[in-house]
Amino acid sequence: MTGLRGRRVLVTGAQGTFGRHLCAALRAAGAEVVGLDRHPDTTAAVLGCDLTDPAAVAPAVRAAVDRLGGLDLLVNNAGVGGPAPAELPPDEAVRAQLEVNLLAAWRTTAAALPDLVAARGRVIFVASRMAVLPLPLAAAYGVSKRALVAYADALRLEVGTHVGVSVVYPSMVASPIHDSTARAGLSLSGVSRLEPVQGVVAAILRAATARRAPRDVATTGRGRLEMALARHAPALADRLVRRTVAARIAAGDLDGASLAAGMVRRHRDPGR
């Protein structure tokens, strides 16, 4: 797949921040695009589907593929975030992130695979830098995205002879996905650097049009460096994250965040 003109593409999370821009860019490049989203939009060829409902996914994928007349590319873009300290027991927010970020992509991919195999197509998973470089107080997001990468790796071993499998790793983009984290007083300011949504879309398009499907795609040069550091010098990466978080705690940035209370207390009274 070296071009997009005439390619038949299915995008999940089509009404989200990445999804809207991605669908527009794909169409501008000449692709035929159908989206899946909890919020349908007939004017934008977005079919309604709750990706967390096992009974709903396969029929929705079938309807999208029938509308396209086949399938050349699936972009698993749907995702949710939110705070979730690893020291606390998992709650509904944790389960929601695992359900949407991992299981929804798994279901959608399984439903689409026969058509992708027939077309010798590709599947792209939109993961996160936190899949390789986790941050504290966001365990569910990091775990779900790391699990998504593990699923992509297993899928590649099973179907890679016929379907290209790529993973794209954005960092932080201004998006409603961060709203619940901000409301909890856990802003990522000072920990992650914002990148433009256009860069994420461009990385997805590069993965889609490369002569051979790339395995892992960073969205920025900084992202490539952070991924390399996390993979080849994980202890150093841990120290850098701990130092950054300690500086935020010392500055009082997390004083109003109840979910961070345990970590703040331990940093300020290490002997306790």
Side-chain angles (χ1 to χ4, degrees):
M1 183 184 293
T2 56
L4 288 167
R5 184 161 300 280
R7 297 293 180 177
R8 301 158 298 181
V9 185
L10 176 59
V11 177
T12 68
Q15 296 281 61
T17 301
F18 293 167
R20 292 193 307 273
H21 286 85
L22 176 60
C23 289
L26 287 165
R27 291 188 177 107
E32 300 292 327
V33 184
V34 172
L36 292 182
D37 198 283
R38 188 186 296 266
H39 306 288
D41 184 349
T42 56
T43 64
V46 178
L47 306 182
C49 180
D50 179 356
L51 296 175
T52 68
D53 180 356
V57 173
V61 170
R62 185 74 264 147
V65 173
D66 288 347
R67 181 166 178 166
L68 289 165
L71 188 63
D72 299 300
L73 171 64
L74 166 64
V75 182
N76 281 299
N77 164 71
V80 295
E87 67 177 289
L88 299 181
D91 57 12
E92 286 301 321
V94 172
R95 281 186 282 274
Q97 290 178 67
L98 289 169
E99 188 70 41
V100 175
N101 298 344
L102 171 62
L103 297 181
W106 192 330
R107 291 187 192 103
T108 305
T109 302
L113 266 179
D115 295 283
L116 289 170
V117 169
R120 296 298 179 102
R122 294 189 183 180
V123 55
I124 297 173
F125 297 91
V126 180
S128 167
R129 180 201 59 173
M130 287 178 62
V132 292
L133 185 64
L135 297 176
L137 306 173
Y141 192 73
V143 167
S144 63
K145 290 297 190 177
R146 184 171 292 192
L148 180 67
V149 174
Y151 170 69
D153 290 344
L155 182 72
R156 188 180 297 108
L157 294 173
E158 294 182 20
V159 305
T161 53
H162 289 66
V163 177
V165 180
S166 301
V167 181
V168 175
Y169 297 81
S171 182
M172 182 183 176
V173 174
S175 161
I177 199 172
H178 304 297
D179 289 353
S180 60
T181 300
R183 286 194 298 270
L186 299 173
S187 168
L188 294 175
S189 176
V191 177
S192 290
R193 181 177 298 179
L194 282 171
E195 61 178 285
V197 65
Q198 291 82 4
V200 179
V201 170
I204 295 171
L205 297 184
R206 286 199 306 273
T209 56
R211 188 171 64 87
R212 293 184 178 179
R215 180 188 181 92
D216 299 301
V217 180
T219 55
T220 64
R222 180 187 175 92
R224 282 190 292 274
L225 178 61
E226 290 174 339
M227 288 170 61
L229 180 67
R231 284 176 168 158
H232 301 297
L236 175 58
D238 287 349
R239 288 198 296 272
L240 292 174
V241 172
R242 284 196 298 266
R243 186 175 68 183
T244 300
V245 171
R248 290 197 66 196
I249 291 174
D253 292 346
L254 302 180
D255 285 356
S258 61
L259 292 176
M263 191 164 68
V264 170
R265 183 177 61 253
R266 287 186 293 273
H267 272 259
R268 290 180 177 168
D269 189 3
R272 188 172 177 179

